Amino acid sequence: MEPHRAVGAGTSDGSAPAKDTSAKDKGPRAFTFLPWLLMGVGALSNIISGKSQNTWLAGLGLLAFNSIYIFVVFSAFNPRYRDSRVPVYGLAALTAVTYAISITFGHSWLLFFPLLSLASGAVRAIRGKPHFILLFVLSGSAGTIAGRLVGDHWEAAAIGYGTFLSGMVTATVLSLFDTVKQLDATRQELARTAVEKERLRFSRDLHDLLGHTLSVIVVKAEAVRRLAPRDLDAALAQTADIEAVGRQALTEIREAVTGYREGSLSTELDRARSALEAAGIEPVVRESGPPLPPQASALLGWVVREGVTNTVRHSGATRCEIEVRTDAAGDRARLTVTDDGHGPAPSAAPATTGGTGLKGLTERLAAAGGTLDAGADGRRGFRLVAELPLGGEEPTRR
């Protein structure tokens, strides 16, 4: 808990709920690779100005490179082909065209080696060691060809380095995005599995509880039917047994449901805020002190649920304040629920027997060494105060 945090709406810290962007953030796509084709503007300029030795051959080479490059990139991102050999075959053709036009025309055409390396990084089938070997060969040959055609060792080194870096960075970034997607899918699968396991546990518990109980009730009901015509007293005894079994089953089911629905204090505060707002009551939540242990958090969560339920149903209030304080030493917690209404009507007074009424909450807190006080808050309103020793439990991090 954060010291003296006032909350009105939204999440438990007052901020807007976080949005799930995993489905929208899909990473780079094939169109991301298209702007890099502008690196071939120099070659296009040579063709237009007539500086290339054979204009028609140069134009066909440029068209072939761009066409195969686009094919490789889009097939590498196409779910139907990305894991097949189709992008690999396209990359092989692109490699042949790159070597041909670079050796034939040289100069600005050498920039197609980094483009070839960039396209190779998108091909999943060769990632890992094969791709590293390919980048080593491409960068080495690109630097060698550039050194012989240009004669400038620094420019040749830059071409070789750019070729290696383009493919390595592309493959690394795409692999990182693939890993993030796999982790997100794994997280969703684990969450789904956890929900299914909890549902299975709950259904199994109910089956165990109801299966035996209903079987006993059926057997005793049959006994009542047989005994009623000739022995009314024995039939009445069996009826009493049915009643006792039914009451016991009801208690066990309540305990099972309670254990299933047990929530933390932060969860109950969120639910209370939502319920108060829906009833037109302004919620104000304040929390201060160290975090609460799990058992204390669950017990105080029940107090919040009962207090807010009474406020919504019976108080006629316009404002409800919930304050949670934990001593600096972390040895005692105090929860206060206060409203500005007229309090519950006598006919709508909370339950005085077990369950989740005030008496039941008092008993549950007393079992943990705590206390519960409820009554009028001065001239107007109703106040519910719960105090609970923490007893050295391990705190819950919220």
Side-chain angles (χ1 to χ4, degrees):
M1 291 182 289
E2 300 175 2
H4 300 283
R5 181 181 63 196
V7 183
T11 58
S12 58
D13 60 358
S15 60
K19 296 182 179 179
D20 185 7
T21 59
S22 60
K24 297 181 180 179
D25 189 11
K26 298 180 180 180
R29 284 293 175 261
F31 290 101
T32 310
F33 288 75
L34 297 185
W36 293 101
L37 288 174
L38 294 175
M39 294 176 64
V41 169
L44 178 62
S45 177
N46 289 341
I47 295 174
I48 295 175
S49 62
K51 294 181 180 180
S52 299
Q53 298 174 359
N54 190 321
T55 303
W56 289 103
L57 182 61
L60 289 175
L62 181 61
L63 178 62
F65 181 90
N66 290 342
S67 301
I68 299 175
Y69 175 90
I70 293 173
F71 171 79
V72 171
V73 169
F74 277 84
S75 62
F77 283 94
N78 191 321
R80 182 178 179 182
Y81 301 113
R82 63 187 179 188
D83 295 321
S84 67
R85 308 299 296 180
V86 173
V88 179
Y89 297 146
L91 183 63
L94 186 65
T95 303
V97 172
T98 303
Y99 276 96
I101 59 178
S102 299
I103 294 174
T104 302
F105 302 105
H107 300 288
S108 59
W109 295 79
L110 295 172
L111 293 178
F112 287 105
F113 273 107
L115 277 176
L116 170 63
S117 178
L118 193 71
S120 70
V123 181
R124 288 174 170 80
I126 62 172
R127 286 183 186 171
K129 186 176 180 181
H131 187 235
F132 181 81
I133 296 174
L134 175 63
L135 291 180
F136 183 79
V137 174
L138 289 179
S139 59
S141 57
T144 302
I145 295 173
R148 291 185 176 182
L149 295 179
V150 180
D152 187 342
H153 296 295
W154 288 108
E155 184 175 350
I159 293 292
Y161 177 74
T163 300
F164 182 85
L165 191 64
S166 297
M168 181 59 66
V169 171
T170 302
T172 302
V173 171
L174 293 179
S175 298
L176 179 61
F177 273 98
D178 289 343
T179 302
V180 171
K181 290 179 183 178
Q182 293 175 2
L183 290 176
D184 184 64
T186 302
R187 177 184 61 81
Q188 295 180 7
E189 180 64 21
L190 290 175
R192 185 185 63 82
T193 302
V195 172
E196 290 181 351
K197 287 184 177 179
E198 181 62 13
R199 288 175 177 172
L200 180 61
R201 182 199 68 80
F202 186 54
S203 62
R204 183 174 59 246
D205 290 348
L206 286 182
H207 177 272
D208 294 341
L209 287 173
L210 295 177
H212 173 73
T213 302
L214 293 178
S215 298
V216 173
I217 290 176
V218 169
V219 170
K220 289 187 172 291
E222 292 176 349
V224 170
R225 179 173 54 81
R226 292 195 304 267
L227 293 173
R230 63 177 184 272
D231 192 343
L232 185 58
D233 291 339
L236 292 176
Q238 293 293 333
T239 304
D241 289 343
I242 293 176
E243 181 181 1
V245 170
R247 291 183 181 277
Q248 180 63 27
L250 183 59
T251 301
E252 292 176 350
I253 291 174
R254 283 175 175 170
E255 291 176 353
V257 172
T258 298
Y260 181 73
R261 297 182 60 187
E262 196 84 72
S264 64
L265 176 60
S266 60
T267 302
E268 292 301 331
L269 289 175
D270 290 338
R271 292 175 179 172
R273 186 181 301 108
S274 177
L276 289 169
E277 290 176 345
I281 302 174
E282 178 188 0
V284 178
V285 180
R286 298 186 181 91
E287 298 178 68
S288 62
L292 295 173
Q295 183 179 1
S297 176
L299 285 174
L300 294 182
W302 280 105
V303 177
V304 170
R305 178 184 299 184
E306 179 66 21
V308 171
T309 299
N310 289 337
T311 299
V312 171
R313 290 182 178 178
H314 314 302
S315 70
T318 59
R319 178 184 174 93
C320 180
E321 298 183 6
I322 305 174
E323 183 178 13
V324 183
R325 288 182 177 271
T326 307
D327 293 343
D331 57 359
R332 194 168 187 85
R334 177 186 175 94
L335 169 67
T336 305
V337 181
T338 309
D339 63 61
D340 60 356
H342 49 67
S347 59
T352 56
T353 57
T356 58
L358 295 181
K359 183 178 170 99
L361 286 176
T362 302
E363 294 173 351
R364 295 183 67 176
L365 289 170
T371 60
L372 180 69
D373 295 321
D377 180 26
R379 293 179 301 174
R380 187 182 182 191
F382 191 80
R383 172 175 290 185
L384 185 65
V385 181
E387 294 190 1
L388 187 66
L390 302 183
E393 293 180 55
E394 195 66 22
T396 301
R397 300 294 174 189
R398 297 190 275 118

